[in-house]
Each structure stands twice: as structure tokens, then as C-alpha cells.
Amino acid sequence: MLLEVKDIYKSYKKSFNIIKKGKNEILKGVSFNLKEGECLGIIGESGSGKSTLGRLIIGVEKADSGSIHLDGIDISKTNSSSIKKKSSVVFQDYSSSVNPRFKVIDILSEPMKTFEKLTKKDRIKKAINLLDKVGLSEEYLYRYPHELSGGQLQRVCIARAIATNPEFIVLDEAISSLDVSIQVQVLDLLINLKEQMGISYIFITHDLTAITYICDRVLFFKEGVVIEEVNTMNDLKNVKEEYSRTLLHAAMMMNEEEEIYEIQRIS
Ligand SMILES: Nc1ncnc2c1ncn2[C@@H]1O[C@H](COP(=O)(O)OP(=O)(O)OP(=O)(O)O)[C@@H](O)[C@H]1O
Ligand SMILES: [Mg+2]
């Protein structure tokens, strides 16, 4: 087992006002496992705590209680750099997750500088190799983020995420702000990388269609708890909970709309 999440609770202070005390419980006993090479989808409505869970897993925030084991080691008892080496994250907002004053080579060099001692020449070599892995040519190396399209920049973010050879990547709405056709390209890229490098993914999204495309298992998330777990994608149609069915239905409606839109565009 790569990742074992057990009974995680997390709350935030209601406000910084001393008079209005109290806490908002965001995660209320979340448990799940992730195997090596697996893609686990997490779907749930806005505000249900998906990104919060993502932050706990990559060790940037701590849970109030419960445990997260990575390769059998309790992450609350390890230093954050060893978690960082094993995990990466890609966010929806690719433009704000890179420094606009950095060229692609600098963006890709950042994790290398933290974890490896490479010469400048070797960093450039590795950056070219990473770009190649995400389907971008060498010519992008010296471009600034604003000189790239959204899809290209998100590819750069994915290249940065795989630079440290992580064991797993948290993809938090990573494709949500891309055009549908570009979404498919990036999903194909992710599937490819998963097969090539044996990386596991935690794929957080509102979009069930993307989940069916890439994930092996799905957790339905509502108000900070996992209300349903689907372990084979063929069972997706048979979800029991009303909430899961609503999400499924919404996704199907969206697909139909997209198809209609597609037909209108062609005709
Ligand atoms: N640092 C924080 N301080 C206080 N409240 C927070 C903090 N981070 C998140 N929250 C609250 O926790 C709840 C869950 O937020 P989270 O971002 O995890 O939801 P989400 O499921 O990722 O939603 P979305 O699908 O919209 O991205 C929200 O009500 C949010 O306001
Ligand atoms: Mg979120």
C-alpha cells in the first residue's frame, strides 16, 4: 500500500475574531487507501473538503486527528522534505502556480535544485527530457508563462510535478480550466506517464467524465465524509447513494450538452 489514510479529522477556526469562537469541521473521519500505480478519483460538491484533504496528504497542512501513512511511514513523524520528494501536486490554476518572472527552464529547475545536485548543463538536459515527456519541444525552454497557452503551461506544471520522480501526484482540478479537447490530450498524457513511470494519482474533480476516463476507483465525497466508494468503474452506474446518483446524472447531462454543442459546431 502506497498511501493509507485513516480516520482523518480537520477543522478550521470559524473566524479570527476572539469573541466569535468555534470551529468549522471540514473533514469528519476520512479513510481510504491508494495502491501503487493506481488512480483514485475523488469527486464531490464544492466546499466538501477535497482540496483540504489534498493538502493534508502532501503534508502542507496537518490533520487534527487520524493518520496518514506513506510507504508505511506516518507522515506526521517524518520531515516535510521526504514527503515532498515522494509526492507532487498540480492545481487547477496553472497560471498562479508558476512564477510569472520565471522562464520554463527556471520553473523546471526549481524542484531539481531542492532535491538534486546537478550542474547547470545537466539541469538543462533534464528539463529538455521532462518537456519531451509532456509533449513539448525544446523551443519552450526559454519562454515565459505568458508566452504559452493554458494547455502548454499546464503541461509545464505536470513536467515540474514529475521532475522529482514522485510516487504519487495529487491532481486538484488539474484539467478543469482547459478546453474539452485539450482536457482529453492532458488526460492521455497523464495516463501515459502513469504507465511509463508507475506513478499513482489522486484525481480530484467535479467532473465524473474525466474520472471515468482515467481513474481505477472513485470516492464520492460529501460534507467531509466519504459517502460511497466505487472500486471498479463498471459499477459506477450502480451507485447507491442519492448524492452519487445526482453527480452521475449531472455529468451525463453535461456530456449530452457538449455533444449537442459539438454537433452544432460541426453542422
Ligand atoms: N485555510 C482555511 N481556513 C478556513 N477555512 C478553510 C480553509 N481552507 C478551506 N476552508 C474551508 O473548508 C471548506 C472546504 O474547502 P475545500 O477547498 O477543501 O473544498 P473543495 O471540496 O476543494 O471545494 P471546490 O470543489 O470548490 O474546490 C470550505 O468551506 C472552505 O471555506
Ligand atoms: Mg478544491
Side-chain angles (χ1 to χ4, degrees):
M1 208 56 79
L2 179 62
L3 195 67
E4 290 175 270
V5 175
K6 269 197 204 125
D7 212 20
I8 289 291
Y9 282 77
K10 174 75 183 173
S11 56
Y12 291 114
K13 280 199 190 97
K14 268 208 171 109
S15 100
F16 292 102
N17 188 331
I18 319 162
I19 304 156
K20 282 191 210 160
K21 279 189 181 163
K23 283 178 172 179
N24 278 330
E25 287 236 298
I26 307 299
L27 301 177
K28 303 162 193 162
V30 176
S31 304
F32 65 88
N33 293 329
L34 178 71
K35 290 196 210 98
E36 258 170 53
E38 190 178 46
C39 177
L40 176 71
I42 297 182
I43 188 163
E45 60 195 1
S46 183
S48 55
K50 305 181 297 296
S51 298
T52 304
L53 180 63
R55 289 196 298 274
L56 298 179
I57 294 168
I58 58 164
V60 295
E61 274 181 44
K62 281 198 166 27
D64 299 341
S65 65
S67 66
I68 301 173
H69 285 78
L70 177 56
D71 286 330
I73 299 163
D74 188 339
I75 66 164
S76 68
K77 296 190 175 81
T78 48
N79 60 355
S80 63
S81 91
S82 73
I83 308 167
K84 272 192 198 144
K85 175 110 183 58
K86 289 182 176 181
S87 65
S88 284
V89 63
V90 178
F91 295 108
Q92 170 171 13
D93 196 359
Y94 39 80
S95 51
S96 70
S97 64
V98 296
N99 186 332
R101 291 190 192 86
F102 275 20
K103 292 181 183 142
V104 170
I105 175 71
D106 306 315
I107 295 169
L108 297 179
S109 294
E110 243 181 327
M112 294 184 222
K113 283 179 181 164
T114 316
F115 295 108
E116 292 168 295
K117 284 203 166 63
L118 295 177
T119 60
K120 195 177 171 197
K121 202 174 147 202
D122 284 340
R123 280 203 300 271
I124 294 172
K125 224 164 121 184
K126 184 163 179 181
I128 293 170
N129 186 274
L130 287 167
L131 283 184
D132 183 54
K133 279 207 165 90
V134 297
L136 292 174
S137 69
E138 205 178 319
E139 69 171 288
Y140 293 97
L141 212 52
Y142 296 99
R143 291 215 199 166
Y144 287 99
H146 73 265
E147 295 169 331
L148 300 175
S149 73
Q152 288 165 345
L153 188 53
Q154 193 60 310
R155 279 168 193 267
V156 171
C157 291
I158 294 168
R160 177 178 60 182
I162 59 171
T164 54
N165 271 325
E167 292 180 26
F168 74 92
I169 305 181
V170 173
L171 299 149
D172 190 352
E173 303 282 2
I175 59 157
S176 306
S177 20
L178 303 171
D179 276 355
V180 180
S181 63
I182 309 295
Q183 283 189 1
V184 176
Q185 282 178 17
V186 174
L187 285 173
D188 284 337
L189 165 69
L190 290 170
I191 292 170
N192 209 327
L193 290 174
K194 183 165 147 271
E195 278 160 14
Q196 260 182 49
M197 305 176 69
I199 315 173
S200 308
Y201 295 137
I202 292 183
F203 191 83
I204 298 173
T205 184
H206 294 97
D207 179 7
L208 207 65
T209 324
I211 281 198
T212 55
Y213 200 80
I214 189 173
C215 295
D216 306 301
R217 288 194 295 134
V218 191
L219 303 179
F220 285 85
F221 216 72
K222 190 188 182 192
E223 292 165 13
V225 284
V226 176
I227 59 153
E228 189 155 10
E229 192 172 335
V230 173
N231 288 317
T232 49
M233 297 313 281
N234 290 337
D235 288 346
L236 202 56
K237 291 185 282 308
N238 308 325
V239 284
K240 290 176 202 74
E241 297 287 332
E242 185 63 40
Y243 173 74
S244 321
R245 280 211 298 272
T246 314
L247 286 177
L248 198 66
H249 187 69
M252 271 157 35
M253 297 266 287
M254 245 169 60
N255 270 358
E256 272 169 25
E257 267 171 32
E258 261 157 27
E259 268 168 36
I260 292 166
Y261 173 71
E262 205 53 30
I263 291 162
Q264 278 173 345
R265 219 174 41 161
I266 294 163
S267 59

